Amino acid sequence: MEKKVIKNCIKKWNEKDDANIKELKKRYKLWIKYNEEKEICVKLLENFEYYGRQRVNFYLKKLHEKLINDYNISNENTVYSIIKNADGRANSSMEYFIEYTQINKVSRKNRIEDIGRMKKPKVNQIVLIDDCIGTGKTVKTYIEMYKDDLKNKKIYILVIYAIKEIADKLQKELLEMGYNIEIICLNKKMKAFTKEVFQDKDDKEIQEIKKKFILLSKKHNIPENFELGYGETEGLVAFYNNTPNNTLGIFWVDNDDNIALFPRNRDSNRIGLKELRENRKKRLIENYKNRGRKIG
């Protein structure tokens, strides 16, 4: 059953030649082996979404088609831009903006990194591109930073993945604040511990499952603020370039007690699979010794 689960996931994601998928196959064997709540985690994995570069590009194209066809966007009065971090660091929005504009052949004159420098009278529509909406905090911070530049403009936020209740709430709040905004997402999902994932369970049973998962996360030394994802977002998503911290921590936190399926910051000097395996074995031996038992 467990081998079939990962096979079905890869088929669903259609990313069998992706480098992260090849690493995933190796990690899954250990992740499931040392998992005390296999049934819960397998169900979560079955509902997980992974977006490799090929899949990302597919949705970036579809988002643009929807924007043009459904909202009658004209290049004459529109600019495409990124959702900047408050500290100015490079982020996923920059990467997806570059991919989006190249795939959809957006003219250079319609691309702008900093909307604070655009010629305001000539622009009345702003298209912002990013990978996902988790807590919505990044979007809120960005709009506050550029509130004077966004007044009286139609704003489109294009994302590949979003938590439905958060994205819908975010759009409502921004509309109430006076912004003319539209969040366009082709893959809106509910939080992890809902009936969308645990369809055969009632609300009380789902809450019990959630409690078990939190205990499992503590046992695997997942930081408390990431057990349910940052801001308790309960996301089930990873991208080829990174995994959002809004995703359940057990899927991305690499440590001696947890071998992540989709580690964050894949380009950094994170712990290798071999070292994780060895550290895990050492930890098990130490645990036995502490209980005064011998390894057979």
Side-chain angles (χ1 to χ4, degrees):
M1 174 190 170
E2 291 159 9
K3 288 182 179 179
K4 187 177 179 181
V5 169
I6 199 68
K7 186 177 180 181
N8 288 342
C9 284
I10 294 170
K11 183 179 179 181
K12 178 179 76 169
W13 302 329
N14 194 26
E15 293 285 1
K16 60 183 179 181
D17 296 324
D18 183 275
N20 291 320
I21 294 296
K22 292 176 181 178
E23 177 77 359
L24 169 68
K25 291 177 182 177
K26 299 174 186 176
R27 287 174 167 268
Y28 178 75
K29 293 176 184 178
L30 296 172
W31 185 79
I32 200 68
K33 179 180 180 181
Y34 296 117
N35 198 311
E36 297 84 353
E37 295 287 355
K38 288 182 174 59
E39 186 177 347
I40 294 174
C41 289
V42 162
K43 177 62 71 174
L44 292 170
L45 181 58
E46 287 175 335
N47 287 270
F48 201 95
E49 294 292 344
Y50 172 72
Y51 296 93
R53 185 181 292 274
Q54 179 180 319
R55 199 174 181 210
V56 163
N57 290 350
F58 171 81
Y59 281 111
L60 290 178
K61 185 175 181 181
K62 288 296 180 183
L63 282 167
H64 189 68
E65 289 174 358
K66 185 172 181 64
L67 183 71
I68 300 299
N69 297 331
D70 294 2
Y71 298 93
N72 299 314
I73 292 293
S74 167
N75 286 336
E76 293 299 317
N77 55 10
T78 304
V79 295
Y80 295 77
S81 190
I82 66 173
I83 300 177
K84 278 189 171 184
N85 280 345
D87 58 10
R89 288 183 301 170
N91 59 17
S92 58
S93 184
M94 174 62 82
E95 295 181 53
Y96 285 70
F97 167 76
I98 293 171
E99 293 279 358
Y100 180 96
T101 54
Q102 290 179 344
I103 291 168
N104 297 302
K105 297 180 173 59
V106 175
S107 172
R108 288 184 179 274
K109 69 179 183 179
N110 296 101
R111 309 178 201 176
I112 187 166
E113 180 184 343
D114 188 344
I115 63 171
R117 299 170 62 186
M118 68 184 175
K119 296 178 181 179
K120 300 175 183 62
K122 293 184 179 180
V123 174
N124 56 33
Q125 296 185 127
I126 299 171
V127 181
L128 302 171
I129 296 121
D130 206 353
D131 55 354
C132 66
I133 289 178
T135 62
K137 182 179 178 181
T138 301
V139 172
K140 286 182 183 177
T141 300
Y142 174 83
I143 288 180
E144 178 62 26
M145 285 169 54
Y146 289 96
K147 58 185 177 182
D148 292 334
D149 302 291
L150 296 171
K151 286 179 180 176
N152 303 316
K153 302 286 192 298
K154 176 65 180 181
I155 309 161
Y156 297 94
I157 299 178
L158 275 56
V159 293
I160 292 171
Y161 175 98
I163 300 295
K164 186 180 187 307
E165 64 182 87
I166 295 175
D168 291 350
K169 182 182 177 183
L170 175 63
Q171 178 165 308
K172 183 181 178 182
E173 288 178 357
L174 293 173
L175 286 170
E176 289 173 350
M177 291 168 65
Y179 295 101
N180 187 3
I181 196 162
E182 189 85 33
I183 295 174
I184 303 175
C185 176
L186 300 178
N187 300 287
K188 283 187 179 181
K189 301 292 182 179
M190 299 300 289
K191 288 189 170 189
F193 295 98
T194 60
K195 286 193 71 66
E196 184 179 59
V197 174
F198 297 94
Q199 298 176 358
D200 59 336
K201 308 294 183 184
D202 60 32
D203 291 340
K204 185 177 180 180
E205 289 174 313
I206 292 172
Q207 287 306 307
E208 289 302 313
I209 290 171
K210 189 174 179 178
K211 288 177 184 177
K212 287 182 181 180
F213 178 82
I214 291 172
L215 289 175
L216 172 70
S217 297
K218 292 184 185 303
K219 189 171 183 179
H220 284 247
N221 201 23
I222 307 299
E224 186 175 355
N225 56 327
F226 294 130
E227 290 170 352
L228 297 175
Y230 178 72
E232 298 188 358
T233 310
E234 297 182 29
L236 291 171
V237 65
F239 297 88
Y240 69 88
N241 57 324
N242 209 351
T243 302
N245 61 9
N246 307 107
T247 292
L248 299 176
I250 205 163
F251 284 97
W252 60 265
V253 175
D254 252 345
N255 61 39
D256 292 348
D257 297 299
N258 190 67
I259 296 170
L261 294 184
F262 301 94
R264 268 174 68 79
N265 304 318
R266 298 185 188 112
D267 294 331
S268 64
N269 295 321
R270 62 178 170 79
I271 304 172
L273 184 58
K274 184 179 179 180
E275 186 178 350
L276 278 170
R277 189 187 290 113
E278 291 174 351
N279 289 349
R280 175 79 187 188
K281 186 176 180 180
K282 289 177 184 177
R283 180 65 62 88
L284 288 172
I285 291 172
E286 286 300 318
N287 288 344
Y288 273 106
K289 285 181 178 178
N290 291 337
R291 289 197 292 266
R293 296 169 63 180
K294 295 181 181 179
I295 304 292

